[in-house]
Amino acid sequence: MVSPTTTSAPALSQVLDPALENLGVRLHENGGTLRVFSQAADSLDVVIFDADDLDWATAILPMQRLERGVWEITSELLVAGARYALRAAGPFGAGNIFNPQTLLLDPYARGIVSGGFGDRRSVVVDRGFDWGEVRKPAVPLDRTVIYEAHVKGMTKRHPGVPAALHGTYAGLAHPAMIEHFLDLGVTTIELLPIHAFASEPRLLQLGLDNYWGYNTLGFFAPHAAYATDQARREGPDAVLREVKGMVKLLHQAGLEVVLDVVYNHTAEEGIGGPHSSLRGLDNRAYYRQQDDGTYIDVTGCGNSVNTATDAGARLVLDSLRYWARDVQIDGFRFDLATTLGRDDQHRFTPDHPVLRAIAEDPELADTKKIAEPWDVGMGGWQTGNFGDGWHEWNDRYRDRVRNFWLSDVDYARRASTAPVGIGGFATRLAGSSNTFSAERGPLASINFVTAHDGFTLNDLVSYDVKHNLGNGEHNRDGADTNRSFNHGAEGATDDERILATRRKAMRNLMGTLLLSAGIPMITAGDEFGRTQRGNNNAYCHDSALTWLSWEHRPWQQELFAHVRRLIELRAENPALRPIRFARLDEETPSASVMEWYDERGETMSGERWNDPAHRTLQYVAASTPEFEEFNRILLIVHGNETPVDVRLPVIEGVSRYVSLWSSAEESPSREAPVLSPGDVVPTPPTSMHLFRAE
């Protein structure tokens, strides 16, 4: 492949070796043709198995070697429903590991089933599906509100979903779930991995499972365990139809589907781990290695897929095209995306051909591309450094918002003043212009306060430290720096004062998230304050600890009402969701002009930005011409635990302020009190207040 260290992205034809096209099985009238890549193998066979006895081989067919390491066979046995495996032989050494007795999965298999002794078989799948007139919703970026969810965890305990659909793809698209999504107001459902995955042997020995799914077996096959019992009995064709049916129903409701995809590593772990697919076909081509065959692990999972080779790059891009085209997926969140952007010297470059190809490929043009912009290798933290066409999880946003509302307040209780002022928080609120270039704008930032990985919103305000003993690693796993604050008691408490302060802290965090410039992401269950009892790394718990509960106490219903109201206000006020950063020297279309005032209604001075004793600001944002409509809002942020009087700013063209939302209220009010410029507003401790300026 052309060196990925060049300063301009090469054409797609240079990234994708044309000899590697059409890998996997292609059906035709009299059977099918299977193409597999293995540059290093001396021979490659396809083994066909009996449909009712997956340990009984009915045929062994030698494949023919073509150019550039591609092997091919056409057979009448390769029909829809056929179970098959690959068997490769070749020289041992030079980074390659061959065992001709090992049965391997086809990396391009659209279906995977388990054999009688735990072995897995690839399955030829009929990909036909009637999409009717349903099309992708194509939600504009500025109107996007992401909801990160787990297929099983969302519905496993939902009383409105039939028991037969609990924990399934079909259950996620049940009317009860769609009603929840629409009532909340989110636009885009981001699913934790649904590519076929396996639990690590270490977890199985502990009696645990890989619940999150970041341990991929195959990049084209859906995870069968999330399908209904009926679909699993019918086979991979039915499982795939159920996935497509889920997408179709969500699209009919106007909801997008984004997949969390794990192309950075596979379930084969390190050299001594499982030997199931890529390692046995062409270890050298698919995994990053030293010259002596030692793996270069920048993922912390034992191996790293090598996107600096044609085979590795092609595998990733072909998989994305398949899910975007055949399954009509609306976007992808790339786990440890920095790994995908490492060149043949294992250094990250934002101009890596694979990153550019993902952003520019015509078949992916209508999809959202979201990077988790880090891995654990040298130079792995790359927030803000991905190129045009990419959006990024903004951990700087997460950390600063948590600090402002939680750890800074904790610090102030012990030291009489917070450690820093409000300036850094304001930068995050306004779109993180110090992280993302003017060309990329605020919508490059995926703003989040919580995610699947870490504390839930409720636990963030209820625990000072992680409680992960149930993970079997003596509380060593999971992040130690959470920027959380228990507000005076660790975990559950009956102290109503502490509970009220925690509830307000959750409202402040959600208010910040949904009123900030950028694209917000909510973690499923945070809208009603779910808890994982202080476990901040619950990846191995497939249980009531991680399944959402749908029995909610009054305070949880009130929190839900707040989140719903905030999403509604975000949609109604374009000043809250600018597409571009405004420039002071000119009018910028689709931007918001921002002005900052202190609690006295005066323009914020440089001294006050950075003074930790002054953590109160008034943020005025006005949409610029060529947006949907002219709109101006005022947001008051007060980050101290003492009340303060705030004088509303006197601004040319503003005659009144209409109250829209306050975090100080237990229940969101639909009343809209009207105040005048210059009025003094008594502002409660640590609170937010939104007004429309008219």
Side-chain angles (χ1 to χ4, degrees), residues 16-18 20-21 108 310-319 321:
L16 303 177
D17 185 345
L20 274 63
E21 291 179 353
Y108 281 71
D310 292 310
R314 183 98 214 186
L315 180 66
V316 171
L317 291 163
D318 283 349
S319 172
R321 288 170 163 181

Side-chain angles (χ1 to χ4, degrees), residues 53 55 74 162 228 248 310 334 353 363-364 392 431 479 481 491 498 520 528 603 612-613 650:
D53 185 351
D55 297 312
T74 297
T228 56
K248 181 177 180 179
D310 292 310
F334 294 82
E363 292 196 49
L364 302 176
E392 302 175 40
T481 303
I498 292 175
F528 38 71
T603 300
V650 177

Side-chain angles (χ1 to χ4, degrees), residues 293-314:
T294 303
Y295 275 10
I296 297 172
D297 178 13
V298 298
T299 67
C301 300
N303 65 64
S304 305
V305 173
N306 191 356
T307 53
T309 67
D310 292 310
R314 183 98 214 186

Side-chain angles (χ1 to χ4, degrees), residues 48-302:
I48 308 295
F49 290 89
D50 185 273
D52 298 320
D53 185 351
L54 298 181
D55 297 312
W56 182 257
T58 60
I60 300 175
L61 309 174
M63 301 184 71
Q64 179 185 4
R65 184 173 188 132
L66 306 180
E67 63 177 344
R68 309 291 287 276
V70 173
W71 300 73
E72 182 177 283
I73 185 171
T74 297
S75 171
E76 61 185 10
L77 299 177
L78 290 169
V79 295
R83 273 65 169 159
Y84 69 101
L86 303 173
R87 199 170 63 180
F92 195 94
N96 280 305
I97 303 173
F98 287 105
N99 184 344
Q101 303 306 312
T102 301
L103 296 170
L104 305 168
L105 292 172
D106 174 7
Y108 281 71
R110 267 57 171 180
I112 296 175
V113 294
S114 296
F117 294 101
D119 293 330
R120 298 179 179 90
R121 307 287 181 255
S122 304
V123 182
V124 181
V125 170
D126 180 353
R127 293 152 58 181
F129 185 80
D130 182 9
W131 290 97
E133 299 300 317
V134 177
R135 297 292 181 266
K136 295 182 178 182
V139 177
L141 289 170
D142 69 299
R143 289 187 168 272
T144 298
V145 179
I146 298 172
Y147 186 85
E148 188 198 39
H150 188 285
V151 169
K152 184 174 185 178
M154 281 299 299
T155 64
K156 184 64 177 175
R157 305 166 72 187
H158 198 297
V161 174
L165 304 185
H166 280 173
T168 67
Y169 300 115
L172 191 73
H174 186 272
M177 294 309 308
I178 290 176
E179 180 183 5
H180 175 72
F181 299 141
L182 296 180
D183 187 26
L184 182 59
V186 296
T187 66
T188 304
I189 313 303
E190 180 179 307
L191 299 178
L192 268 65
I194 68 166
H195 288 173
F197 65 86
S199 292
E200 296 87 336
R202 176 187 61 82
L203 288 179
L204 296 176
Q205 291 173 1
L206 293 171
L208 300 169
D209 295 296
N210 188 319
Y211 173 68
W212 287 348
Y214 293 89
N215 202 43
T216 309
L217 280 171
F219 296 126
F220 293 81
H223 191 58
Y226 294 158
T228 56
D229 288 342
Q230 179 178 344
R232 293 202 301 270
R233 286 194 300 268
E234 293 178 9
D237 285 354
V239 171
L240 181 58
R241 286 196 300 273
E242 186 173 320
V243 173
K244 292 179 177 179
M246 172 193 73
V247 175
K248 181 177 180 179
L249 288 171
L250 291 172
H251 281 179
Q252 282 180 327
L255 296 164
E256 293 182 313
V257 181
V258 168
L259 298 187
D260 195 333
V261 288
V262 189
Y263 295 117
N264 58 82
H265 76 280
T266 75
E268 292 188 302
E269 301 183 9
I271 289 291
H275 194 91
S276 57
S277 184
L278 302 180
R279 178 175 294 141
L281 289 172
D282 200 320
N283 187 49
R284 194 70 174 176
Y286 282 116
Y287 293 122
R288 294 184 180 275
Q289 302 174 34
Q290 304 283 7
D291 291 341
D292 63 359
T294 303
Y295 275 10
I296 297 172
D297 178 13
V298 298
T299 67
C301 300

